[in-house]
């Protein structure tokens, strides 16, 4: 067993989020491409070996109780280990905005699984951790694996894009006063678009296959700009004014390649050819985002998920 461990928990953006239909378990069947970015939380863990789990956070807006995915992940890992005396003090440095469509909470939970697996010397493989993660949240297996992945099912079935995507630069923005509930966004999607949902496995598989074969995802063509699709955007944007405002400001940035909302929103992003182009665009337009009440970051694509800090 180790005494202390630090794990970075990167955010994700959705390069493609296609709602295919409704599943028997009430979740939506999805076809997505998720991409890790280098905006990350950090989870530090100290081994206490006294059966206690104690979480603190540098952000007042976040519950550190049993509704936090870090605590739920820690409890699940300990319960599956059969060693009730395992304990830890955990501290989260929060950088990823909350309720933003960036999988911040899921990534923190994924980081807890990675951190405590090492801290407690449990020896689970990444595949085993991903399996446990799927019981806690649809996005959590991706947050362990990270990089560029096709994500099917309710989001938990991963197919890595081996070559990864070109390292585009990203300008990411979010209104700090607005958050979107994921269940609400999917509920609205069902209400507004349910009549057009596909309803059988072979139709789902046709869409998965179409995405696997999309030209922008072919290894020899990784410089091609992702077309960006998010089916939740057309549902969330008309009811969340911060989204169209953010999309318009991003679309006006010189040099941007494409803009979209991430996940269930309200955060939105623009892609740039590389990080320095994103840095420059943000530097020159920071005041406009500020005047519109938006927080803004420039980021890069990242090739991994939750990871032990060196
Ligand atoms: O899996 P997770 O807990 O992150 O999902 C949160 C909520 O989002 C679900 O309870 C469900 O309402 C909605 N959801 C969905 N279909 C998915 C993923 C999430 O309807 N594939």
């Amino acid at each position: 067993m180790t005494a202390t461990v630090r794990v970075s928990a990167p955010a994700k953006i959705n390069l493609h989020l296609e709602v295919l239909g409704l599943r028997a378990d009430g979740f939506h069947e999805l076809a997505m491409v998720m991409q890790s970015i280098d905006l990350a939380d950090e989870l530090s863990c100290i081994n206490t070996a006294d059966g206690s789990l104690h979480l603190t956070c540098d952000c007042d807006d976040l519950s550190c109780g049993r509704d936090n995915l870090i605590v739920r992940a820690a409890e699940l890992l300990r319960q599956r280990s059969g060693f009730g005396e395992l304990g830890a003090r955990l501290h989260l440095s929060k950088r990823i905005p909350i309720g933003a469509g960036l999988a911040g909470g899921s990534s923190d939970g994924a980081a807890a699984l990675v951190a405590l697996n090492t801290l407690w010397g449990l020896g689970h493989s990444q595949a085993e951790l991903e399996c446990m993660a799927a019981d806690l949240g649809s996005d959590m297996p991706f947050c362990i694996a990270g990089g560029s992945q096709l994500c099917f099912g309710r989001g938990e079935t991963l197919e890595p894009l081996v070559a990864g995507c070109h390292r585009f630069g990203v300008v990411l923005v979010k209104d700090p006063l607005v958050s979107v509930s994921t269940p609400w966004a999917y509920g609205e999607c069902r209400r507004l678009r349910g009549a057009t949902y596909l309803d059988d496995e072979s139709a789902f598989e046709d869409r998965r296959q179409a995405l696997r074969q999309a030209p922008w995802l072919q290894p020899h063509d990784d410089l091609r700009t992702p077309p960006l699709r998010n089916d939740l955007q057309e549902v969330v944007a008309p009811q969340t004014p911060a989204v169209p405002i953010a999309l318009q400001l991003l679309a006006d940035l010189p040099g941007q390649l494409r803009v979209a909302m991430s996940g269930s929103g309200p955060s939105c992003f623009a892609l740039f050819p590389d990080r320095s182009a994103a840095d420059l665009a943000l530097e020159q337009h920071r005041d406009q985002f500020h005047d519109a009440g938006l927080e803004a970051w420039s980021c890069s694509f990242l090739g991994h998920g939750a990871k032990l800090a060196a």
Side-chain angles (χ1 to χ4, degrees):
M1 287 212 251
T2 317
T4 61
V5 158
R6 272 184 311 127
V7 171
S8 72
K12 62 83 183 158
I13 53 175
N14 293 84
L15 301 180
H16 187 95
L17 192 167
E18 190 176 344
V19 176
L20 303 184
L22 201 61
R23 299 151 51 102
D25 61 8
F27 281 77
H28 283 80
E29 183 72 25
L30 305 174
M32 301 191 284
V33 177
M34 301 226 260
Q35 173 64 56
S36 305
I37 54 172
D38 65 352
L39 174 66
D41 294 340
E42 188 176 86
L43 184 67
S44 316
C45 309
I46 300 173
N47 213 348
T48 57
D50 60 358
S52 73
L53 290 169
H54 185 66
L55 173 65
T56 54
C57 177
D58 62 1
C59 164
D60 293 340
D61 299 338
L62 201 64
S63 156
C64 289
R66 297 190 68 189
D67 52 339
N68 190 303
L69 273 171
I70 295 173
V71 177
R72 291 178 53 208
E75 284 180 343
L76 181 68
L77 195 64
R78 182 171 64 181
Q79 181 217 321
R80 300 254 168 111
S81 78
F83 300 116
E85 71 279 14
L86 292 174
R89 276 211 312 276
L90 306 113
H91 181 75
L92 181 68
S93 300
K94 195 76 195 150
R95 300 289 169 268
I96 306 171
I98 299 165
L102 299 171
S106 298
S107 196
D108 296 342
L113 291 177
V114 170
L116 296 174
N117 185 44
T118 301
L119 194 76
W120 291 339
L122 299 175
H124 291 295
S125 66
Q126 180 172 317
E128 287 167 342
L129 293 180
E130 286 175 19
C131 208
M132 256 184 256
D135 289 342
L136 294 163
S138 305
D139 286 347
M140 272 186 61
F142 171 80
C143 292
I144 290 184
S148 317
Q149 308 257 350
L150 290 158
C151 306
F152 298 127
R154 57 187 172 85
E156 87 292 11
T157 305
L158 307 183
E159 293 180 18
L161 289 162
V162 180
C165 284
H166 168 72
R167 299 282 168 107
F168 289 97
V170 180
V171 171
L172 179 70
V173 299
K174 178 180 179 284
D175 186 328
L177 303 178
V178 179
S179 61
V180 171
S181 146
T182 303
W184 171 81
Y186 279 106
E188 283 298 283
C189 188
R190 184 178 175 182
R191 185 174 70 81
L192 297 165
R193 296 195 44 224
T196 66
Y197 282 2
L198 303 173
D199 59 6
D200 68 89
E201 173 51 30
S202 78
F204 293 163
E205 185 53 27
D206 287 348
R207 293 306 309 151
R208 288 181 204 122
Q209 199 51 20
L211 184 57
R212 289 182 189 109
Q213 291 171 351
W216 65 280
L217 290 174
Q218 303 317 304
H220 57 273
D221 219 358
D222 69 341
L223 278 172
R224 197 188 279 238
T225 305
L228 299 185
R229 169 174 173 174
N230 183 346
D231 289 353
L232 293 178
Q233 184 177 317
E234 67 195 61
V235 173
V236 171
Q239 303 188 61
T240 316
V243 171
I245 290 171
L247 289 170
Q248 189 57 57
L249 283 172
L250 290 167
D252 290 343
L253 291 178
Q256 62 81 12
L257 300 168
R258 296 265 196 290
V259 304
M261 188 180 85
S262 181
S264 51
S267 64
C268 294
F269 62 95
L271 296 183
F272 287 81
D274 53 37
R275 172 64 179 266
S276 57
D279 285 344
L280 187 65
L282 180 56
E283 210 174 288
Q284 292 178 339
H285 296 82
R286 197 176 277 284
D287 289 351
Q288 274 152 275
F289 292 119
H290 181 263
D291 293 348
L294 298 171
E295 285 183 328
W297 300 262
S298 82
C299 316
S300 308
F301 282 17
L302 197 66
H304 60 78
K307 193 176 173 190
L308 290 171

